[in-house]
Amino acid sequence: MPPVSQKFPIVPLAILDASHIDVRLHQGYDMSTTPYADSRLAKYIDLRISQLRHKNQAEIAREAGFANANFISMLKTGNAKLALDRVPAFAKALEDDPAVIMRLAIEQTHGAEMLKLITDLLGEPLTYNERAWLKLIREASSNTDPAPARTITRVLKLFLHDSEADPTAK
């Protein structure tokens, strides 16, 4: 049998009988690599966990309903992908918005083109914070659906830009 790190050509599994099926038969698959390491989700999870100083990975795994705490490490390093049905519980364990995690998980699982297609068809999912902004606008305008005025747009952009520069302004 060839070494694990050897790359195999694409072989249609339908032409193989059970004695020839090898899980490594996939173009470019190398068991020593991390297939999702460059995904934005893996990077985001790594960053978010480092921000959660009051929780360790075992606690996050337990809260998310993962049987094995090592799965969190696998997600962080890109060795595993996050199943879409696990997003709500995982986002809650990360103390994060499920819409943010879902967008990244769809992108990781199905690619940026599929995420764009879903967004084009169903609209951009709103985060909790975005929903709060919309509620504020609706309350302030007595639900009149105001058009974005240039002055308000400039003030809002300036405000948001300044609050991003100052981490204490939340």
Side-chain angles (χ1 to χ4, degrees):
M1 183 176 288
V4 171
S5 63
Q6 180 177 342
K7 303 213 187 290
F8 294 91
I10 295 177
V11 177
L13 294 179
I15 67 169
L16 300 173
D17 64 29
S19 65
H20 291 95
I21 295 177
D22 187 331
V23 294
R24 295 173 294 154
L25 292 176
H26 186 279
Q27 183 179 18
Y29 187 75
D30 181 341
M31 292 179 73
S32 66
T33 64
T34 51
Y36 307 105
D38 291 332
S39 73
R40 294 190 315 149
L41 180 62
K43 293 172 185 175
Y44 187 83
I45 291 169
D46 187 35
L47 173 66
R48 186 68 190 120
I49 288 173
S50 70
Q51 293 170 341
L52 290 174
R53 299 184 193 278
H54 63 282
K55 285 185 183 180
N56 61 39
Q57 289 184 193
E59 292 169 321
I60 293 168
R62 183 180 37 76
E63 289 178 24
F66 297 129
N68 188 340
N70 289 337
F71 190 68
I72 301 296
S73 293
M74 293 171 68
L75 289 170
K76 281 175 37 175
T77 59
N79 280 318
K81 66 181 178 180
L82 180 62
L84 299 180
D85 64 333
R86 304 304 296 265
V87 167
F90 188 56
K92 185 175 181 181
L94 288 178
E95 299 174 16
D96 210 332
D97 195 301
V100 172
I101 304 294
M102 183 60 81
R103 282 186 283 216
L104 295 172
I106 290 171
E107 182 182 74
Q108 180 191 57
T109 304
H110 300 290
E113 289 181 17
M114 181 59 75
L115 177 60
K116 182 181 179 334
L117 175 64
I118 291 170
T119 301
D120 289 349
L121 291 173
L122 302 177
E124 186 75 30
L126 298 176
T127 67
Y128 291 133
N129 291 336
E130 291 166 335
R131 286 188 212 120
W133 277 103
L134 284 175
K135 183 179 178 187
L136 178 66
I137 291 168
R138 288 175 180 156
E139 289 172 358
S141 70
S142 299
N143 291 311
T144 60
D145 192 28
R150 282 194 324 224
T151 303
I152 293 173
T153 302
R154 280 189 295 221
V155 169
L156 188 57
K157 285 181 178 180
L158 180 64
F159 171 75
L160 292 174
H161 178 65
D162 286 347
S163 67
E164 288 175 2
D166 180 6
T168 62
K170 279 202 172 189

mmCIF file of all heavy atoms in Angstrom, residues 32-46 73-81 108:
data_model
loop_
_atom_site.group_PDB
_atom_site.id
_atom_site.type_symbol
_atom_site.label_atom_id
_atom_site.label_comp_id
_atom_site.label_asym_id
_atom_site.label_seq_id
_atom_site.Cartn_x
_atom_site.Cartn_y
_atom_site.Cartn_z
ATOM 1 N N SER A 32 -2.489 13.989 6.159
ATOM 2 C CA SER A 32 -1.704 14.835 7.052
ATOM 3 C C SER A 32 -2.060 16.306 6.897
ATOM 4 O O SER A 32 -1.511 17.145 7.590
ATOM 5 C CB SER A 32 -0.207 14.631 6.787
ATOM 6 O OG SER A 32 0.117 15.109 5.493
ATOM 7 N N THR A 33 -2.959 16.646 5.977
ATOM 8 C CA THR A 33 -3.313 18.047 5.769
ATOM 9 C C THR A 33 -4.578 18.406 6.528
ATOM 10 O O THR A 33 -5.285 17.546 7.035
ATOM 11 C CB THR A 33 -3.532 18.356 4.275
ATOM 12 O OG1 THR A 33 -4.647 17.609 3.826
ATOM 13 C CG2 THR A 33 -2.300 18.058 3.455
ATOM 14 N N THR A 34 -4.851 19.672 6.545
ATOM 15 C CA THR A 34 -6.071 20.180 7.166
ATOM 16 C C THR A 34 -6.914 20.814 6.063
ATOM 17 O O THR A 34 -6.637 21.935 5.645
ATOM 18 C CB THR A 34 -5.738 21.199 8.268
ATOM 19 O OG1 THR A 34 -4.856 22.174 7.719
ATOM 20 C CG2 THR A 34 -5.073 20.542 9.449
ATOM 21 N N PRO A 35 -7.925 20.117 5.565
ATOM 22 C CA PRO A 35 -8.655 20.574 4.380
ATOM 23 C C PRO A 35 -9.369 21.910 4.539
ATOM 24 O O PRO A 35 -9.614 22.597 3.558
ATOM 25 C CB PRO A 35 -9.659 19.449 4.125
ATOM 26 C CG PRO A 35 -9.763 18.704 5.403
ATOM 27 C CD PRO A 35 -8.453 18.868 6.103
ATOM 28 N N TYR A 36 -9.703 22.306 5.762
ATOM 29 C CA TYR A 36 -10.432 23.561 5.968
ATOM 30 C C TYR A 36 -9.601 24.604 6.714
ATOM 31 O O TYR A 36 -10.148 25.571 7.237
ATOM 32 C CB TYR A 36 -11.737 23.283 6.723
ATOM 33 C CG TYR A 36 -12.559 22.210 6.067
ATOM 34 C CD1 TYR A 36 -12.614 20.930 6.612
ATOM 35 C CD2 TYR A 36 -13.250 22.454 4.896
ATOM 36 C CE1 TYR A 36 -13.354 19.929 5.995
ATOM 37 C CE2 TYR A 36 -13.982 21.459 4.275
ATOM 38 C CZ TYR A 36 -14.031 20.203 4.830
ATOM 39 O OH TYR A 36 -14.754 19.218 4.222
ATOM 40 N N ALA A 37 -8.293 24.422 6.753
ATOM 41 C CA ALA A 37 -7.430 25.321 7.522
ATOM 42 C C ALA A 37 -7.518 26.767 7.041
ATOM 43 O O ALA A 37 -7.408 27.697 7.835
ATOM 44 C CB ALA A 37 -5.979 24.849 7.474
ATOM 45 N N ASP A 38 -7.723 26.958 5.751
ATOM 46 C CA ASP A 38 -7.791 28.313 5.216
ATOM 47 C C ASP A 38 -9.197 28.887 5.224
ATOM 48 O O ASP A 38 -9.405 30.003 4.759
ATOM 49 C CB ASP A 38 -7.239 28.337 3.783
ATOM 50 C CG ASP A 38 -5.745 28.085 3.746
ATOM 51 O OD1 ASP A 38 -5.053 28.413 4.738
ATOM 52 O OD2 ASP A 38 -5.262 27.543 2.736
ATOM 53 N N SER A 39 -10.152 28.139 5.751
ATOM 54 C CA SER A 39 -11.525 28.644 5.764
ATOM 55 C C SER A 39 -11.651 29.780 6.777
ATOM 56 O O SER A 39 -10.984 29.814 7.811
ATOM 57 C CB SER A 39 -12.518 27.533 6.109
ATOM 58 O OG SER A 39 -12.447 27.189 7.473
ATOM 59 N N ARG A 40 -12.534 30.706 6.440
ATOM 60 C CA ARG A 40 -12.766 31.822 7.361
ATOM 61 C C ARG A 40 -13.388 31.327 8.654
ATOM 62 O O ARG A 40 -13.145 31.896 9.713
ATOM 63 C CB ARG A 40 -13.649 32.878 6.702
ATOM 64 C CG ARG A 40 -12.944 33.548 5.529
ATOM 65 C CD ARG A 40 -13.651 34.762 4.980
ATOM 66 N NE ARG A 40 -15.069 34.602 4.797
ATOM 67 C CZ ARG A 40 -15.947 35.609 4.912
ATOM 68 N NH1 ARG A 40 -15.544 36.808 5.196
ATOM 69 N NH2 ARG A 40 -17.235 35.385 4.718
ATOM 70 N N LEU A 41 -14.154 30.234 8.592
ATOM 71 C CA LEU A 41 -14.757 29.692 9.809
ATOM 72 C C LEU A 41 -13.696 29.190 10.772
ATOM 73 O O LEU A 41 -13.752 29.494 11.968
ATOM 74 C CB LEU A 41 -15.746 28.573 9.482
ATOM 75 C CG LEU A 41 -16.424 27.935 10.694
ATOM 76 C CD1 LEU A 41 -17.257 28.957 11.460
ATOM 77 C CD2 LEU A 41 -17.279 26.756 10.276
ATOM 78 N N ALA A 42 -12.727 28.434 10.291
ATOM 79 C CA ALA A 42 -11.668 27.913 11.170
ATOM 80 C C ALA A 42 -10.916 29.062 11.837
ATOM 81 O O ALA A 42 -10.653 29.028 13.045
ATOM 82 C CB ALA A 42 -10.708 27.023 10.381
ATOM 83 N N LYS A 43 -10.611 30.078 11.074
ATOM 84 C CA LYS A 43 -9.886 31.239 11.627
ATOM 85 C C LYS A 43 -10.752 31.985 12.643
ATOM 86 O O LYS A 43 -10.265 32.415 13.685
ATOM 87 C CB LYS A 43 -9.442 32.157 10.492
ATOM 88 C CG LYS A 43 -8.389 31.524 9.608
ATOM 89 C CD LYS A 43 -8.092 32.357 8.387
ATOM 90 C CE LYS A 43 -7.131 31.621 7.478
ATOM 91 N NZ LYS A 43 -6.893 32.325 6.228
ATOM 92 N N TYR A 44 -12.047 32.106 12.321
ATOM 93 C CA TYR A 44 -12.962 32.803 13.218
ATOM 94 C C TYR A 44 -13.124 32.046 14.536
ATOM 95 O O TYR A 44 -13.103 32.644 15.614
ATOM 96 C CB TYR A 44 -14.323 32.983 12.532
ATOM 97 C CG TYR A 44 -15.283 33.831 13.319
ATOM 98 C CD1 TYR A 44 -15.236 35.216 13.241
ATOM 99 C CD2 TYR A 44 -16.233 33.252 14.146
ATOM 100 C CE1 TYR A 44 -16.117 35.997 13.969
ATOM 101 C CE2 TYR A 44 -17.123 34.019 14.872
ATOM 102 C CZ TYR A 44 -17.056 35.396 14.775
ATOM 103 O OH TYR A 44 -17.924 36.164 15.511
ATOM 104 N N ILE A 45 -13.273 30.730 14.453
ATOM 105 C CA ILE A 45 -13.420 29.913 15.658
ATOM 106 C C ILE A 45 -12.179 30.035 16.529
ATOM 107 O O ILE A 45 -12.270 30.211 17.752
ATOM 108 C CB ILE A 45 -13.703 28.444 15.305
ATOM 109 C CG1 ILE A 45 -15.101 28.306 14.701
ATOM 110 C CG2 ILE A 45 -13.560 27.541 16.526
ATOM 111 C CD1 ILE A 45 -15.379 26.940 14.086
ATOM 112 N N ASP A 46 -11.009 29.972 15.917
ATOM 113 C CA ASP A 46 -9.758 30.102 16.658
ATOM 114 C C ASP A 46 -9.705 31.451 17.379
ATOM 115 O O ASP A 46 -9.399 31.520 18.575
ATOM 116 C CB ASP A 46 -8.572 29.943 15.708
ATOM 117 C CG ASP A 46 -7.245 29.901 16.424
ATOM 118 O OD1 ASP A 46 -7.177 29.349 17.547
ATOM 119 O OD2 ASP A 46 -6.257 30.407 15.865
ATOM 120 N N SER A 73 -10.833 21.484 18.711
ATOM 121 C CA SER A 73 -9.490 21.671 18.136
ATOM 122 C C SER A 73 -9.488 21.371 16.656
ATOM 123 O O SER A 73 -8.827 22.059 15.869
ATOM 124 C CB SER A 73 -8.475 20.778 18.843
ATOM 125 O OG SER A 73 -8.295 21.187 20.166
ATOM 126 N N MET A 74 -10.226 20.346 16.258
ATOM 127 C CA MET A 74 -10.297 19.991 14.842
ATOM 128 C C MET A 74 -10.972 21.098 14.030
ATOM 129 O O MET A 74 -10.556 21.387 12.905
ATOM 130 C CB MET A 74 -11.038 18.664 14.674
ATOM 131 C CG MET A 74 -10.286 17.485 15.261
ATOM 132 S SD MET A 74 -11.262 15.965 15.295
ATOM 133 C CE MET A 74 -11.389 15.631 13.545
ATOM 134 N N LEU A 75 -11.988 21.741 14.594
ATOM 135 C CA LEU A 75 -12.629 22.859 13.910
ATOM 136 C C LEU A 75 -11.680 24.052 13.797
ATOM 137 O O LEU A 75 -11.592 24.691 12.749
ATOM 138 C CB LEU A 75 -13.899 23.287 14.653
ATOM 139 C CG LEU A 75 -15.089 22.341 14.574
ATOM 140 C CD1 LEU A 75 -16.178 22.782 15.553
ATOM 141 C CD2 LEU A 75 -15.630 22.260 13.156
ATOM 142 N N LYS A 76 -10.971 24.343 14.880
ATOM 143 C CA LYS A 76 -10.038 25.470 14.898
ATOM 144 C C LYS A 76 -8.906 25.318 13.887
ATOM 145 O O LYS A 76 -8.485 26.283 13.269
ATOM 146 C CB LYS A 76 -9.396 25.621 16.286
ATOM 147 C CG LYS A 76 -10.247 26.292 17.306
ATOM 148 C CD LYS A 76 -9.625 26.321 18.689
ATOM 149 C CE LYS A 76 -8.145 26.528 18.735
ATOM 150 N NZ LYS A 76 -7.611 26.672 20.096
ATOM 151 N N THR A 77 -8.419 24.115 13.754
ATOM 152 C CA THR A 77 -7.274 23.888 12.865
ATOM 153 C C THR A 77 -7.691 23.564 11.441
ATOM 154 O O THR A 77 -6.845 23.478 10.555
ATOM 155 C CB THR A 77 -6.396 22.743 13.389
ATOM 156 O OG1 THR A 77 -7.184 21.556 13.480
ATOM 157 C CG2 THR A 77 -5.789 23.090 14.737
ATOM 158 N N GLY A 78 -8.977 23.364 11.213
ATOM 159 C CA GLY A 78 -9.451 23.069 9.873
ATOM 160 C C GLY A 78 -9.430 21.600 9.525
ATOM 161 O O GLY A 78 -9.523 21.237 8.356
ATOM 162 N N ASN A 79 -9.320 20.732 10.512
ATOM 163 C CA ASN A 79 -9.361 19.294 10.265
ATOM 164 C C ASN A 79 -10.781 18.776 10.115
ATOM 165 O O ASN A 79 -10.982 17.651 9.683
ATOM 166 C CB ASN A 79 -8.691 18.531 11.410
ATOM 167 C CG ASN A 79 -7.195 18.532 11.285
ATOM 168 O OD1 ASN A 79 -6.659 18.369 10.208
ATOM 169 N ND2 ASN A 79 -6.519 18.738 12.396
ATOM 170 N N ALA A 80 -11.761 19.573 10.500
ATOM 171 C CA ALA A 80 -13.159 19.154 10.420
ATOM 172 C C ALA A 80 -14.003 20.344 10.006
ATOM 173 O O ALA A 80 -13.608 21.490 10.190
ATOM 174 C CB ALA A 80 -13.632 18.621 11.771
ATOM 175 N N LYS A 81 -15.166 20.033 9.455
ATOM 176 C CA LYS A 81 -16.104 21.102 9.124
ATOM 177 C C LYS A 81 -17.276 21.046 10.093
ATOM 178 O O LYS A 81 -17.568 19.996 10.667
ATOM 179 C CB LYS A 81 -16.566 21.018 7.678
ATOM 180 C CG LYS A 81 -17.391 19.805 7.337
ATOM 181 C CD LYS A 81 -17.764 19.837 5.864
ATOM 182 C CE LYS A 81 -18.555 18.607 5.500
ATOM 183 N NZ LYS A 81 -18.919 18.600 4.104
ATOM 184 N N GLN A 108 -17.879 27.472 4.263
ATOM 185 C CA GLN A 108 -16.918 26.383 4.425
ATOM 186 C C GLN A 108 -17.427 25.092 3.787
ATOM 187 O O GLN A 108 -16.695 24.387 3.114
ATOM 188 C CB GLN A 108 -16.638 26.141 5.914
ATOM 189 C CG GLN A 108 -15.639 25.026 6.170
ATOM 190 C CD GLN A 108 -15.569 24.632 7.621
ATOM 191 O OE1 GLN A 108 -16.568 24.256 8.217
ATOM 192 N NE2 GLN A 108 -14.381 24.736 8.193
#
